Amino acid sequence: MASHSDTLVVFFGATAGENGGKLGSDEREIILLVWQIVDLHEKKVGKLHKCFVKPDTLELTDQCKEETGLTVDDIVKAEPLDKVLQQFQQSVSSEVKCLGRTTYTLCVDSPLVIRQALHPEASKKNLVLPEIFFSFVDVRKEFHKCCPNAGLAQKLTLTSMLEYVGLPAVSEESIGVREVRSMVQLTLCILAEPHNHKFSCVETVNYKFDSGTCSKTEPVDSEAVIRARGLPWQSSDQDIARFFKGLNIAKGGVALCLNAQGRRNGEALVRFINSEHRDLALERHKHHMGSRYIEVYKATGEEFLKIAGGTSNEVAQFLSKENQLIIRMRGLPFTATPQDVLAFLGPESPVTDGTEGLLFVKYPDGRPTGDAFVLFSCEEYAQNALKKHKQILGKRYIELFRSTAAEVQQVLNRYMSTPLISTLPPSPIMPVPVLTTPPFLPAASSTRDCVRLRGLPYTAGIEDILEFMGEHTVDIKPHGVHMVLNQQGRPSGDAFIQMKSPDKAFMVAQKCHKKTMKDRYVEVFQCSTEEMSIVLMGGTLNRSGLSPPPCKLPCLSPPTAYAAFPTPPAILSEAALYQPPLLAAPRPPQTTAHSPAHTLAYYPPQPHLYMNMNMNYTAYYPSPPVSPSTVGYFAASPAVAVAAQPHHAAAAASPVLPQHGALVRMQGLPYNTGVKDILSFFQGYQYAPDEYSGVVQMSEQARSLIQPKEWLCL
């Protein structure tokens, strides 16, 4: 018997459009219902019932007219679907009671009439279906179980099944009546000897969608996942489940996709309980959700896990409370506390378990993102909360909208997996072929042996940073202090320091975080050399890490394209590694009488200030106090530094350039300056004849490739 039922209600339906194997694929309404009761104990048959249904749109396709033989005149005076369903429920209940039975189950020749026609239409019309329509048996699957040699259940038809058991086809011409009588004959046949079949393969339709979490390690069948596209941005997981009403979605099987800004992009990945339901979902391609049509495509389990999978214990604990509605809040002040949020929502929308029902989204370093998720125990509370959409908290308006468990996972994954400094895509560059990497540029590495200082006073210098770090100063690598300037060439309040090991960097971050410097607390975070190098090569710092600006102007190559001129090492005390930036060129190595026994091999630091035209200026310490707009300052010997000084100051300097091929930059040249003017400016200094051609070539290239105020080759 069917799930211990006493009777079967053999059921058939037809729509105003496609029927048969395509039933429900065109969103047409039901126009015909036929049913008949079979007593499973007495093997008796009840009265056959046939009811027309009046659709909202009185229009039948030509194919429907041909297959069913119905016309608009047949249905124009019929009752609407809700009235017909009431008649069905009353008729079945009364007849079953007359037979002395108490339970009954639907029996259909295909799940399409239930899953693809009846439930979707009832959902759109906000009808509550009787409980009988949430479980049924498929006569084809029952027949296949009884007679496995008859062929695959999906390929069986009523005619082929009757033929297999030796029964004649029903001669009735009226659609619906013919199918119901054929199913009744098959049912009585397999109930009798020699089959003695018992109906047990009961299929169910979920009453509602159950939200839940999904682990990244959970296996997901790629044959059970689809991608829905074109969703309204305010759609929730319940709205999507309603669109697929009649099909069973796995628990937590709706994952809304977000764009790079964390906003919904109108797509969702949906995971069904098996491939059969997925295939039926694909038939709803371009069905409508309100006034929008939704595209439905195949997807993979890997794609689903990428969006919905999570490993955070905090999220798992937050979502462990079942039957909760989730609201996402966006735009919260960074100083907002749980009490502020509870007060904003008010007593008319109490949060489940108070502050335990709040989940603030944060960056890996603990900074707030302005997002939070809130749990509510019922629809009424959630609706009251949504009424506060765009109301003011502090000085900011707050956005509220429905969310899902998968979105919670996705948002947390997005922010918590974001490094302190994200990866920048390569920018288009113009190579300078004669230049290579400066020796002080740190090699990119994922080793977290650096620290980032944020919130420095703008007047802070290197001495202030060394004093701030205190005893940890001895653990700084040579040339390991890097100051970052903003796009105006002023201090950005950020600095990067390379430590001798990850352990030393960790200790600095622990000991110095939020320590005070000049009445300001400074945040200290551990980071990698790779992350630091991205900023030092022209990345733009903001609250979400790095973001590349539009690169439309020609720009010089990053440090990997520059060449430094080798300088022999000298011996210098560790304290002298951090010279104050008072000179246009670094001071020559000095050895004092009181130098400590512990000395280091020191390479004069070849300081640079360079930019990527559209990106921020970046300073490497030690750096000369030249203009922050300097594109390519190359340190040389002291004599070259003298040549870079103003003309009147250079008169007393040595008239010889000791290093062949040294570079010096001139800033503020008049736009009509020629080569003769430049050579006249440097009158008294010696240069090789071939270097004169370098001035001419560079001057000509500068007019076409580089904006005014560039560097020249002498």
Side-chain angles (χ1 to χ4, degrees), residues 11-143:
F11 186 80
F12 176 86
T15 70
E18 293 280 0
N19 288 287
K22 289 291 185 178
L23 182 70
S25 62
D26 56 359
E27 295 186 279
R28 291 286 185 163
E29 298 172 87
I30 294 174
I31 59 171
L32 175 66
L33 294 180
V34 183
W35 68 90
Q36 190 172 18
I37 291 179
V38 177
D39 188 331
L40 296 177
H41 292 285
E42 302 293 336
K43 313 297 189 293
K44 293 181 179 180
V45 178
K47 179 183 177 181
L48 188 141
H49 300 267
K50 179 178 179 181
C51 286
F52 292 114
V53 182
K54 182 180 180 179
D56 293 342
T57 303
L58 287 173
E59 182 181 353
L60 305 181
T61 65
D62 294 337
Q63 183 178 358
C64 172
K65 293 177 182 178
E66 182 180 349
E67 291 179 352
T68 63
L70 299 177
T71 64
V72 174
D73 295 335
D74 296 325
I75 60 176
V76 69
K77 295 182 180 180
E79 296 287 349
L81 181 61
D82 57 337
K83 299 294 184 180
V84 173
L85 291 178
Q86 291 180 9
Q87 295 177 16
F88 168 83
Q89 180 68 19
Q90 294 172 0
S91 172
V92 171
S93 300
S94 176
E95 196 166 348
V96 168
K97 186 175 181 181
C98 292
L99 293 173
R101 309 303 178 189
T102 57
T103 57
Y104 45 87
T105 302
L106 280 181
C107 177
V108 296
D109 65 338
S110 169
L112 298 180
V113 65
I114 303 297
R115 298 193 183 278
Q116 296 286 75
L118 193 59
H119 276 279
E121 183 176 341
S123 178
K124 290 180 180 179
K125 295 180 177 180
N126 294 318
L127 303 181
V128 179
L129 290 175
E131 187 177 354
I132 186 176
F133 292 108
F134 288 88
S135 61
F136 61 91
V137 293
D138 187 342
V139 69
R140 296 179 306 167
K141 294 180 180 179
E142 296 291 344
F143 187 84

Side-chain angles (χ1 to χ4, degrees), residues 255 319 341 438 632 664 694:
L319 298 174
V341 174
V664 63

Side-chain angles (χ1 to χ4, degrees), residues 101 128 297 302 345 373 452 468 496 582 650 674 710:
R101 309 303 178 189
V128 179
Y297 304 99
E302 182 180 356
L345 294 172
F373 293 94
R452 171 187 172 189
F468 173 79
F496 289 90
L582 299 177
E710 280 301 334

Side-chain angles (χ1 to χ4, degrees), residues 411-430:
V411 171
L412 266 293
N413 290 345
R414 179 185 299 272
Y415 284 113
M416 295 307 294
S417 62
T418 302
L420 292 176
I421 304 167
S422 58
T423 303
L424 255 182
S427 302
I429 59 175
M430 293 174 54

